[in-house]
Amino acid sequence: MPHTKFDSTSSTAEGTKAQSASERTDQSPDGRTTTTCPECDGRLIVRNDQTHCEDCGLVVDEDRIDHGPEWRAFNATEKNEKSRVGAPTTNMLHDRGLSTTIDWQNKDGYGSTLSARKRQQFQRLRTWDERFRTRDATERNLKHALGEIDRMGSALGIPDATLETASVIYRRALEENLLPGRSIEGMATAALNAAVRQTGVPRSIDELATVSRIDYLEAARAYRYLVRELELPMAPPDPLEYLPRYASALEITAETERRAHDLLEGGMEAGLHSGKHPVGLAAAAIYAGSRLTGEALTQADVSDAIDVSKVTIRNRYQELLEHEIATADSTAAD
């Protein structure tokens, strides 16, 4: 049987040549990474995940490393079932979601029920895990406050991005030691109200007070204190942001909503919204628009749907209509 002779000298030389070639790097004029070809010392070009020589055509590297998962999923359900990573970090959790959470179900990875001894063991682990997640008063305070923000946001349908903003504002208040002498619920409501104002979500402080554990006066007082101490930039509330939501709740026609929008926009240009509650102005504009289009809508209907007194609606809608009439007269005179 013939034996194959192995030339260690040539092999070592070729390995050294390839290594030295790979270490010699250059940059092409168009910014592509290049190296020297180990065969003809030509220029290597990387294109479409393949490295080849532009002179002799030698393909040096063509194996692309896939850093993604080894499984495939065709819908969101399959993706959630096959994924083996945790949730992304979020400011809505006091530890930003980096701690371990032990499931409350007493089942193993195959879905089988745990034995009595294992159930007791995992119950003790859950207890200690809960204790170590909140190790001091600051973390317990933050955990309770963020839970309140999440609860109120869920009750009012506030977007997650706004809740994240509220959690950041509350963390700032906690870092600057603004909480002594204030209730956690009050400051959490104030932080959520500030986030709602900053992100332009049409939710008034009256609505927040209905789902909060404090009354309106304490919520308003805590909000003013938070904005003043943190120097948060707050623009005046825009009544136009409330209009689509209340128009949908009252199921008015598109023509009525358009007229209400025009009335409200004209009134704001004239400064009628200064010092007025935005919800009351939006309600008055809807009622005034219904009067102009002839839609059957009473002050009582608007008052019940938007939770604004009929006196407020009556006063504000008259102001809007008077401004509309004055604008029309001046236009006709011109």
Side-chain angles (χ1 to χ4, degrees):
M1 180 177 178
H3 296 278
T4 303
K5 184 178 180 180
F6 179 74
D7 191 352
S8 60
T9 305
S10 61
S11 176
T12 305
E14 291 177 359
T16 305
K17 180 180 179 181
Q19 181 180 2
S20 61
S22 63
E23 292 175 352
R24 287 178 291 173
T25 60
D26 195 5
Q27 193 76 14
S28 62
D30 56 357
R32 293 175 296 180
T33 303
T34 61
T35 57
T36 304
C37 176
E39 291 291 334
C40 65
D41 290 333
R43 184 183 298 274
L44 295 182
I45 299 178
V46 180
R47 184 184 293 114
N48 296 332
D49 301 320
Q50 184 185 79
T51 305
H52 66 276
C53 177
E54 64 178 357
D55 295 334
C56 66
L58 175 67
V59 177
V60 179
D61 184 17
E62 61 178 350
D63 295 330
R64 179 182 179 183
I65 299 176
D66 186 3
H67 297 280
E70 80 284 359
W71 46 264
R72 295 189 301 170
F74 301 97
N75 52 48
T77 304
E78 291 185 4
K79 183 177 180 180
N80 293 332
E81 290 177 352
K82 295 182 179 181
S83 178
R84 297 187 295 272
V85 298
T89 57
T90 172
N91 286 314
M92 283 304 298
L93 297 176
H94 73 283
D95 53 8
R96 291 183 170 83
L98 298 176
S99 62
T100 303
T101 302
I102 302 177
D103 194 7
W104 61 271
Q105 297 182 1
N106 293 316
K107 294 182 180 181
D108 58 14
Y110 299 99
S112 303
T113 304
L114 299 177
S115 63
R117 184 176 63 84
K118 285 291 184 182
R119 287 199 299 270
Q120 293 178 358
Q121 179 182 1
F122 272 91
Q123 185 59 39
R124 291 194 299 271
L125 289 174
R126 291 190 192 98
T127 302
W128 281 106
D129 179 66
E130 187 67 22
R131 291 174 180 173
F132 277 104
R133 288 182 66 186
T134 54
R135 290 171 292 182
D136 54 24
T138 302
E139 291 189 357
R140 287 193 294 271
N141 181 313
L142 189 59
K143 181 180 179 181
H144 178 57
L146 296 181
E148 283 293 300
I149 291 175
D150 184 64
R151 181 187 63 81
M152 291 186 290
S154 300
L156 295 176
I158 298 176
D160 292 339
T162 304
L163 299 181
E164 289 269 352
T165 304
S167 66
V168 172
I169 293 174
Y170 190 89
R171 288 176 186 271
R172 282 191 56 194
L174 191 62
E175 291 173 358
E176 299 191 16
N177 200 27
L178 300 182
L179 270 70
R182 306 277 174 173
S183 66
I184 298 177
E185 292 80 3
M187 295 300 289
T189 305
L192 183 56
N193 187 35
V196 162
R197 291 281 299 275
Q198 286 187 342
T199 57
V201 177
R203 298 293 186 276
S204 64
I205 192 171
D206 305 82
E207 295 175 277
L208 292 177
T210 58
V211 298
S212 178
R213 303 185 192 277
I214 59 175
D215 56 11
Y216 170 82
L217 292 178
E218 185 177 352
R221 191 181 302 113
Y223 169 73
R224 290 193 297 268
Y225 171 74
L226 183 69
V227 171
R228 182 178 66 253
E229 294 297 327
L230 294 182
E231 298 181 353
L232 298 176
M234 288 294 167
D238 190 357
L240 291 173
E241 296 175 351
Y242 295 85
L243 195 60
R245 177 184 169 206
Y246 294 145
S248 177
L250 289 167
E251 298 180 352
I252 60 177
T253 62
E255 177 65 18
T256 301
E257 183 178 354
R258 186 185 65 81
R259 294 301 301 270
H261 185 278
D262 294 342
L263 287 171
L264 195 53
E265 194 172 33
M268 291 177 61
E269 291 178 357
L272 297 180
H273 67 297
S274 179
K276 307 293 193 310
H277 200 289
V279 176
L281 275 175
I286 291 175
Y287 179 70
S290 67
R291 292 288 301 272
L292 294 177
T293 58
E295 185 171 352
L297 191 65
T298 64
Q299 294 181 11
D301 296 334
V302 180
S303 176
D304 294 338
I306 305 180
D307 194 19
V308 177
S309 68
K310 291 183 286 187
V311 176
T312 301
I313 297 174
R314 186 159 51 247
N315 294 335
R316 299 294 173 263
Y317 105 87
Q318 289 176 355
E319 295 175 358
L320 292 174
L321 287 182
E322 289 173 359
H323 176 265
E324 179 71 10
I325 294 172
T327 304
D329 292 342
S330 62
T331 304
D334 294 338

